[in-house]
Amino acid sequence: MSCLGNFATLIVNDPDFSRFARKPKDALWAQLLTIPIGFGVTSFIGIIASSSSAVIFGGEMVWNPLDLLGKFQVGASSAERFGIFVISTGFALAQLGTNISANSVSAGTDLTALLPRFTTYLSAYSIFLSSIAGPMLCDYYIVRKGYLRVKELYTAQEGSAYRFVYGFSWQAYASYIAGILVNIVGFAGAVGRKVPVGAQYIYNVNYFSGIVVSALMYYILTRFFPVPATSSTWSEADQDVDSLSIAYGQEVDAYDVPEPVKADSLNYGTLQERKGPKAGSSAAV
């Protein structure tokens, strides 16, 4: 789970990077290959090094790389100590580069250094991010089935499909809390509290349990309390949008108006008429 916690923030914030891709497949293959392979190789090296420590030094396996470097120093020559210094410098640079690029992971490193009791922070961090990813995935792929009213994504006016209740989706927040609650007891056990063994088992797979519970809760809530702008069939449109510069209810000069779009190429408003009524959908755009 610590491995997943390392890039849990990137999973949630992936659109910040993938939105620069010209085509969906440009973002797909790069991430599909590099992320599993990169993290898989890194984790494999860590497992091999930790397993070897039990053979070389005896006793239990050392999972913390810094503790392992400390064992290297016992009886080490000056040349070996210099090698340990180089490795330590590499660890420091890797931490800086990775954590800054991954945004919030650096906070986990600081907390681990300041409060050793919370060394499971990275695993715990994924509790909160998995509960965000669950409703996001469920909303787009299951509830809306890829259907989006693109212009309404950029407005908060009343009647907008994505305004919800004063700008907040209570179904999403309730699902987020549910995804956290299923893991919070196990997290308390990870920091030294006595908790049921079942809660510890659930916490061992906290990222997956958080995603499943939050996504399932969101699906149930949206079935009983439907959200607007949904589709009964898969309706994702792979098209470039060129006319988002016109704000709602705002006059623009003639030379600012984009050229008309070809019929039906961007006609999201008529999707309902073309594909039939959608459960829980609001009025046509």
Side-chain angles (χ1 to χ4, degrees):
M1 286 301 103
S2 291
C3 296
L4 279 174
N6 277 331
F7 63 95
T9 181
L10 295 178
I11 295 175
V12 174
N13 295 329
D14 182 65
D16 292 337
F17 303 98
S18 61
R19 66 192 179 94
F20 293 106
R22 291 175 297 177
K23 299 184 294 293
K25 67 179 182 180
D26 291 344
L28 172 65
W29 290 110
Q31 298 175 75
L32 189 63
L33 296 177
T34 58
I35 292 179
I37 293 175
F39 277 94
V41 170
T42 304
S43 300
F44 177 75
I45 293 174
I47 292 171
I48 292 299
S50 298
S51 301
S52 302
S53 66
V55 177
I56 297 173
F57 300 105
E60 296 183 354
M61 291 183 290
V62 182
W63 290 98
N64 189 333
L66 303 181
D67 292 339
L68 189 59
L69 288 177
K71 287 185 174 291
F72 286 167
Q73 294 187 62
V74 178
S77 63
S78 57
E80 291 170 337
R81 288 180 178 274
F82 176 75
I84 295 170
F85 168 77
V86 173
I87 296 173
S88 301
T89 304
F91 271 118
L93 292 176
Q95 286 292 320
L96 287 172
T98 303
N99 290 335
I100 290 174
S101 63
N103 194 11
S104 298
V105 184
S106 56
T109 306
D110 294 338
L111 284 177
T112 301
L114 295 173
L115 303 170
R117 184 179 180 183
F118 291 93
T119 52
T120 59
Y121 175 82
L122 285 178
S123 289
Y125 191 57
S126 63
I127 292 176
F128 305 98
L129 294 177
S130 64
S131 301
I132 297 174
M136 288 173 61
L137 293 171
C138 181
D139 180 75
Y140 185 77
Y141 289 102
I142 300 177
V143 176
R144 302 187 189 277
K145 293 182 173 61
Y147 174 59
L148 292 176
R149 296 179 179 177
V150 180
K151 280 191 175 182
E152 294 193 29
L153 292 171
Y154 299 90
T155 179
Q157 67 176 11
E158 270 191 61
S160 168
Y162 308 108
R163 190 173 188 269
F164 302 106
V165 181
Y166 299 104
F168 294 92
S169 170
W170 68 268
Q171 296 98 325
Y173 276 99
S175 304
Y176 173 69
I177 293 173
I180 293 175
L181 290 179
V182 73
N183 289 310
I184 202 67
V185 178
F187 172 63
V191 296
R193 302 293 182 181
K194 188 174 181 180
V195 299
V197 64
Q200 297 179 9
Y201 288 145
I202 294 175
Y203 180 75
N204 288 338
V205 289
N206 58 69
Y207 191 84
F208 299 109
S209 59
I211 276 190
V212 170
V213 170
S214 60
L216 182 61
M217 177 62 72
Y218 185 80
Y219 178 75
I220 293 173
L221 289 176
T222 53
R223 292 290 292 180
F224 285 98
F225 306 94
V227 294
T230 61
S231 175
S232 58
T233 57
W234 182 250
S235 306
E236 185 181 58
D238 183 15
Q239 295 166 329
D240 292 329
V241 181
D242 300 320
S243 59
L244 293 180
S245 59
I246 303 177
Y248 284 89
Q250 182 177 341
E251 294 184 0
V252 293
D253 295 331
Y255 55 81
D256 289 332
V257 179
E259 294 181 4
V261 185
K262 290 182 180 179
D264 294 333
S265 66
L266 191 60
N267 199 357
Y268 291 98
T270 61
L271 182 63
Q272 187 167 353
E273 291 81 8
R274 286 186 281 115
K275 295 202 173 183
K278 295 177 262 309
S281 64
S282 65
V285 178

